[in-house]
Amino acid sequence: SLHLLGAVRCASAACGPRCSAVITLDERLWTWGEHQPASAPALLHTSWVNRHGATDCGLHAAQVAFGGAHMVLLTSGGAVWTWGYNESSCLGWPAAMVHASLRHGFQKPRSPVVLPQALCVAAGAAHSAALVDAGGGRGVPYLWGDNSCGQCGVGGGGCLPLPMPPPGFEAESVSLVRCVGGTSVLVCHSGRCYLLGGGARVEAASSSEEEGGISEGASSAGSEGEQEAGGEGGDGAAAEP
């Protein structure tokens, strides 16, 4: 069993390819493993004290997601922080477009991603996602990073250096976003489920005849996108114990 320092109780947990994290009931984030400060559980905001002063991100953690070699953290206030390797601009830092020293990433939380208030986050092998609150109960997905398989919902491949909503969802209200490998999954309040990746957008509409809500064709398309990404790493969304 895992023993954290002090008498703490865990609210949720997440894991990446070779690292893990726990969020405690007092909204603190503990991480350990590869690309983390230690091989044993360490409290984020004390371990990552640095000259950039970005230490408050670990004080009020709500959700954490692991990518292939990066992390995405949602605070209880709706801010999104990223750190790790910046492959394909998956950290979404505007400063990385200007300063060459940040283009390869940063192994410490440095600054929040420029986004409206977020509701949840996700991470794929080399891309990231956040669901933001657009008001009136409507959720809008923002995606950034690797788009080689179309996982950010934009044609043309390449990568998206900054978060942006995928086109074609203006009439939808998204309730959940998840990422795995080179695929993104958007679940809407209408019951529709969209799989982005593999070079195409596939819709799986729920109906009384499809109890699972995802058709066979959509499921296979998601698998193809995941295989093309070749990606280890996927959404390390927090799971309730």
Side-chain angles (χ1 to χ4, degrees), residues 11 15 33 67-68 71 73 77 80 84-85 87 98 110 125 129 137 141 158 160 180-181 187 190 214 222-223:
C15 61
M71 293 180 68
L73 172 71
V80 177
Y85 288 102
E87 180 184 357
V98 180
R110 185 177 183 276
L160 275 64
V180 59
V187 180
S190 62
I214 299 180
S223 299

Side-chain angles (χ1 to χ4, degrees), residues 44-202:
L44 180 72
H45 78 275
T46 56
S47 301
W48 285 143
V49 171
N50 61 84
R51 60 190 176 88
H52 294 286
T55 57
D56 288 342
C57 58
L59 292 177
H60 306 286
Q63 183 197 358
V64 63
F66 286 97
H70 73 289
M71 293 180 68
V72 184
L73 172 71
L74 173 68
T75 70
S76 58
V80 177
W81 293 72
T82 57
W83 65 96
Y85 288 102
N86 197 31
E87 180 184 357
S88 302
S89 301
C90 59
L91 298 183
W93 291 349
M97 302 173 64
V98 180
H99 302 290
S101 61
L102 296 176
R103 290 175 188 168
H104 297 294
F106 203 70
Q107 291 306 106
K108 304 172 184 178
R110 185 177 183 276
S111 60
V113 180
V114 180
L115 280 169
Q117 186 176 37
L119 303 172
C120 69
V121 294
H127 73 293
S128 306
L131 182 66
V132 307
D133 185 2
R138 181 170 177 265
V140 176
Y142 279 70
L143 298 101
W144 64 97
D146 182 27
N147 188 51
S148 59
C149 298
Q151 58 266 52
C152 290
V154 181
C159 65
L160 275 64
L162 300 176
M164 65 174 293
F169 288 91
E170 292 79 9
E172 290 281 10
S173 176
V174 177
S175 60
L176 183 68
V177 58
R178 287 289 183 261
C179 302
V180 59
T183 305
S184 303
V185 181
L186 308 180
V187 180
C188 302
H189 285 103
S190 62
R192 292 186 175 90
C193 177
Y194 295 88
L195 279 68
L196 311 181
R201 176 182 297 172
V202 179

